[in-house]
Amino acid sequence: MDFILIQFLTGLANASALFLIASGLTVIFGVTRIVNFAHGSFYMLGAYLTWTITRALWDWGGREPALFIAGILLAALAVGAIGALIEMVLLRRIYRAPELFQLLASFGVVLMIQDLALAVWGPEDLPLPRPPWLRRFVEIAGSRFPRYDLILIFVGPAVLALLWFLFQRTRFGVLVRAATQDREMVAALGVDQRVLFTGVFFLGSTLAGLGGAIVLPMQSAFLQMDLAIIAEAFVVVVVGGLGSVPGAFLAALLIAQVQAFGIVLVPKATLVLVFLVMAIVLMIRPYGLLGRPQAHARAATGAVEPVIRPAPAILGWAGAAALLIAAAAPFFAGPYIVTVLVELAVFVLFAASLHFMMGPGGIVSFGHAAYFGLGAYGAALGLRYLAVPMEAGIVLAPLFAGAFGLVFGWFAVRLSGVYLAMLTLAFAQIVWAAAFQWVEFTGGDNGILGVWPSDWARGKGAYLWLALALCIGATLLLRRIIFAPFGYALRAARDSELRAEAIGLNAVRVRLGAFVIAALGAGLAGGVYAYAKGSVFPTYISIPKSIDALLMVLLGGVQTVSGPIVGALAFHTLFLTVLQAFTWWRFILGLAIVLLVLAFPQGIAGFVRQRWERARGPEAA
């Protein structure tokens, strides 16, 4: 019983910090409808600024409790001001853009803040030692419990009470609740939405900064804090229900207790438990514990244009020329160039498989790397345990990924919007955790080595031709399906599910079919990639790999079938190959992403299509 009590109290302390960042995220999403990936960066800045401000106050006036609290509050307010500035400078310009491009812009902000934090605070972890009055312990049930953790237990409920008062008893809170339900009606009543959105962003960013500030005495400030916390914050927000602050508090308690007891009782499944809880909750309650079906926040919902026409002829000829040059590369280019071309072919198929769901299907996946990684592991495990040759492994890879795609898709396609996207992330994280922690079967973080091609394909040129044939061939097959009857049925289910079912289409089955086809394509890409690298690691399934796929699709453009191809080529050659030669490559990449979103909200290929149609006039349209 003593153990249960101490673990329960530890979970309550951790829940406070988790609730602070999740409440800020849910308030911002509830009003602005922005899935803000940069929210984790505000959390990280809260920790770094607390370290700087508090140390300066201590040097000035000693380690007094009042100065410690002042340092935390000043850091949180500074982060709130930074968040408001980002909203005014960047996000305000893209509120009418499709929501996925807002996600893309916020990820660009993440990259920029990472490099700025590296330049200001350096790469080392920065701990903030607890002052003497916080190092003490309290006797609880015969066990010592840290006084600071006991204080944190009351921070979460106190902030929840203040937020309740703000939203229920103030004019600003009434406007926020009204905007959460119907932004257009609030604007029609004469409320200045710009001021309201900036205020909401300030509040949400301040809460995130406060969350980072209060955890600093428990851990060090480090550069990976943003991505380490954002996945958990999204889990809490989705489990509680998007836009529900009480739901975020309830979900934070649930997730924190699962972590507190899981790390002791089932340490090998700790990484799985959080996302398993989210998956179970969404299967039972598709809108979270206290959530409600999402209301349309604006008239222009950012829906994707119907993909009904092939790419402009100029892109077709450019693609054919690029393919011929790539096929001839072994005769005039070195091994490094050939290796890069193999990776380009793989990423073209990877991006095209995700676009198959996002464009014609309107299905957004935050965990598409799961099928890429499962394809790689399918080939590697087949070699390790069944001794299958490369030829069989290439067949096994998409089948292995497709089987999981069928299972995961059966649950996912019954949801919509952010809930669907977050469920795909949950499934991907479950797969990643299994690959990372099931050391006996997958090798864990040591991976599976020695996954080499057959003798006839070990030459760089031979394997390049094989990769081009498989990946480009599969990409063209996906294009053919888009313009086949199944593709039109998929677009019908996306545009109007009721009308599609009225003419006899089963929208759920159609979307499930798209899910499986996309998983097969990503699995094939993963299998080809595994033999190209000679090894497989859990990083193939990680969140950054899924974000790479989203970036490729969005940079190229969702509205045209050539978008993922152009996006994959641009992302890999320019961003991953050229920019990494610069010291500030993350900042440059983030700035480039933000500028592309502002200048080409329809993507690179979409912009080319638009210009081509304008040049050709009505005949092209």
Side-chain angles (χ1 to χ4, degrees), residues 91-417:
L91 297 178
R92 181 177 293 179
R93 303 174 186 274
I94 57 173
Y95 276 131
R96 295 294 174 179
E99 293 173 359
L100 282 173
F101 287 94
Q102 298 168 356
L103 170 67
L104 184 61
S106 69
F107 183 72
V109 173
V110 170
L111 296 176
M112 295 167 68
I113 292 178
Q114 280 184 343
D115 260 6
L116 289 173
L118 175 62
V120 174
W121 288 286
E124 301 296 329
D125 293 358
L126 301 180
L128 182 69
R130 297 184 185 182
W133 58 279
L134 281 181
R135 296 178 189 170
R136 301 173 186 174
F137 292 85
V138 179
E139 289 286 336
I140 299 178
S143 300
R144 300 175 69 193
F145 191 75
R147 174 182 286 185
Y148 186 71
D149 289 11
L150 189 62
I151 294 173
L152 289 186
I153 291 176
F154 297 97
V155 171
V159 172
L160 177 63
L162 291 174
L163 290 176
W164 178 88
F165 179 82
L166 176 67
F167 292 139
Q168 300 295 329
R169 294 291 185 267
T170 67
R171 183 176 184 273
F172 175 77
V174 171
L175 293 177
V176 169
R177 288 190 290 117
T180 302
Q181 297 298 319
D182 194 332
R183 276 177 21 185
E184 279 64 44
M185 184 59 69
V186 172
L189 293 174
V191 176
D192 190 341
Q193 286 195 341
R194 294 177 301 175
V195 176
L196 179 63
F197 288 3
T198 302
V200 166
F201 236 88
F202 174 81
L203 174 62
S205 304
T206 300
L207 290 171
L210 183 60
I214 66 172
V215 302
L216 185 59
M218 303 168 61
Q219 66 180 42
S220 301
F222 58 98
L223 291 174
Q224 287 75 39
M225 288 182 73
D226 50 357
L227 294 181
I229 194 63
I230 192 62
E232 289 186 14
F234 274 126
V235 168
V236 171
V237 169
V238 171
V239 169
L242 290 167
S244 172
V245 174
F249 182 76
L250 182 61
L253 292 176
L254 174 63
I255 297 301
Q257 294 300 335
V258 167
Q259 290 176 323
F261 286 97
I263 198 171
V264 177
L265 300 177
V266 281
K268 288 192 174 182
T270 306
L271 298 175
V272 178
L273 287 177
V274 172
F275 293 94
L276 186 60
V277 168
M278 182 172 76
I280 292 173
V281 169
L282 289 182
M283 291 175 198
I284 299 174
R285 293 185 61 86
Y287 300 106
L289 296 174
L290 299 182
R292 289 177 291 182
Q294 297 180 63
H296 293 292
R298 53 180 178 266
T301 58
V304 178
E305 272 182 35
V307 183
I308 57 174
R309 289 169 290 173
I314 185 174
L315 286 180
W317 286 110
L323 182 60
L324 289 175
I325 294 173
F331 298 109
F332 62 84
Y336 174 75
I337 298 298
V338 174
T339 301
V340 170
L341 290 174
V342 171
E343 293 182 359
L344 281 174
V346 167
F347 288 125
V348 163
L349 177 55
F350 185 31
S353 63
L354 177 58
H355 173 269
F356 186 81
M357 291 196 301
M358 288 177 58
I363 304 170
V364 180
S365 173
F366 286 172
H368 198 60
Y371 312 108
F372 181 83
L374 284 168
Y377 271 102
L381 294 173
L383 176 63
R384 185 174 187 176
Y385 294 104
L386 302 177
V388 299
M390 181 197 71
E391 293 79 4
I394 290 293
V395 176
L396 183 61
L399 294 178
F400 192 62
F404 278 89
L406 177 63
V407 175
F408 294 161
W410 190 86
F411 295 103
V413 297
R414 286 162 172 76
L415 304 179
S416 62

Side-chain angles (χ1 to χ4, degrees), residues 327-507:
F331 298 109
F332 62 84
Y336 174 75
I337 298 298
V338 174
T339 301
V340 170
L341 290 174
V342 171
E343 293 182 359
L344 281 174
V346 167
F347 288 125
V348 163
L349 177 55
F350 185 31
S353 63
L354 177 58
H355 173 269
F356 186 81
M357 291 196 301
M358 288 177 58
I363 304 170
V364 180
S365 173
F366 286 172
H368 198 60
Y371 312 108
F372 181 83
L374 284 168
Y377 271 102
L381 294 173
L383 176 63
R384 185 174 187 176
Y385 294 104
L386 302 177
V388 299
M390 181 197 71
E391 293 79 4
I394 290 293
V395 176
L396 183 61
L399 294 178
F400 192 62
F404 278 89
L406 177 63
V407 175
F408 294 161
W410 190 86
F411 295 103
V413 297
R414 286 162 172 76
L415 304 179
S416 62
V418 178
Y419 291 99
L420 187 155
M422 292 306 299
L423 185 58
T424 62
L425 174 63
F427 286 138
Q429 287 300 99
I430 291 172
V431 173
W432 172 81
F436 186 80
Q437 293 189 302
W438 198 357
V439 179
E440 298 82 4
F441 185 64
T442 65
D445 58 348
N446 293 320
I448 300 177
L449 308 179
V451 188
W452 298 113
S454 299
D455 292 338
W456 63 269
R458 291 199 176 183
K460 293 290 185 182
Y463 197 78
L464 172 62
W465 294 328
L466 176 64
L468 289 174
L470 291 174
C471 295
I472 304 304
T475 301
L476 294 176
L477 179 60
L478 290 174
R479 177 190 181 280
R480 180 68 186 89
I481 296 174
I482 288 175
F483 293 105
F486 178 83
Y488 286 98
L490 183 60
R491 293 198 293 278
R494 177 202 66 191
D495 295 336
S496 178
E497 183 173 343
L498 291 178
R499 292 182 179 182
E501 292 183 347
I503 61 174
L505 295 175
N506 188 317

Side-chain angles (χ1 to χ4, degrees), residues 113 294 319 361 487 497 512 514 531 536 558 568 585 610:
I113 292 178
Q294 297 180 63
E497 183 173 343
L512 179 59
Y531 286 108
V536 178
V558 187
W585 71 271
Q610 188 180 74

Side-chain angles (χ1 to χ4, degrees), residues 12-23:
L12 290 180
N14 294 333
S16 288
L18 205 51
F19 167 67
L20 288 178
I21 183 173
S23 61

